[in-house]
Amino acid sequence: QVQLVESGGGSVQVGGSLRLSCAASGFTSSTYYMGWFRQAPGKEREGVAAADLDGSILYGNPAKGRFTVSKDNAKNTLFLQMNSLKPEDTAMYYCAADPRRRSGNWLSASGYFYWGQGTQVTVSS
């Protein structure tokens, strides 16, 4: 049974940092495409970053230059290091995974079948 559990969210001030974790179980993370997404109230789910099987990372525009994705295959965990946080980064952050590349757009939510429950990130000024 595939399960994704996010953690590490919280409330920070502008300019602060958070490190999100996505613990995967029921599959080997090195064989699944994985990604981070976020969704703010009233907005569509947005791709933050996506990891390919070879370790390549694609960052969405909000993440470029501030966020870093890493993957520990030994621990079956995907990380999202977020620095220089802004109020517009406030959202629920989700981890996603899929054994197949369902979409040519790595950052499309439709490209992933398995999702975690999310972890809330709130950035205040």
Side-chain angles (χ1 to χ4, degrees):
Q1 178 179 352
V2 172
Q3 190 172 13
L4 301 169
V5 179
E6 302 96 333
S7 62
S11 297
V12 295
Q13 293 191 325
V14 169
S17 298
L18 283 172
R19 189 189 194 207
L20 306 185
S21 299
C22 171
S25 59
F27 68 98
T28 302
S29 62
S30 62
T31 64
Y32 273 53
Y33 301 92
M34 298 184 73
W36 284 102
F37 291 79
R38 68 186 188 184
Q39 189 166 19
K43 295 189 177 181
E44 292 188 357
R45 193 161 294 191
E46 176 182 38
V48 175
D52 203 350
L53 298 183
D54 64 1
S56 302
I57 306 294
L58 177 68
Y59 291 98
N61 287 332
K64 292 178 180 176
R66 298 187 299 127
F67 296 178
T68 302
V69 168
S70 60
K71 198 176 182 186
D72 187 335
N73 287 327
K75 296 183 178 180
N76 242 24
T77 302
L78 185 72
F79 300 98
L80 178 66
Q81 177 67 44
M82 304 188 295
N83 299 326
S84 303
L85 284 164
K86 306 174 183 179
E88 50 264 43
D89 294 318
T90 295
M92 186 73 80
Y93 283 71
Y94 297 92
C95 176
D98 201 290
R100 297 191 292 137
R101 178 63 76 193
R102 298 177 183 266
S103 170
N105 180 1
W106 295 14
L107 296 174
S108 171
S110 64
Y112 299 84
F113 183 79
Y114 299 102
W115 291 84
Q117 82 292 344
T119 186
Q120 177 68 38
V121 171
T122 303
V123 185
S124 58
S125 57

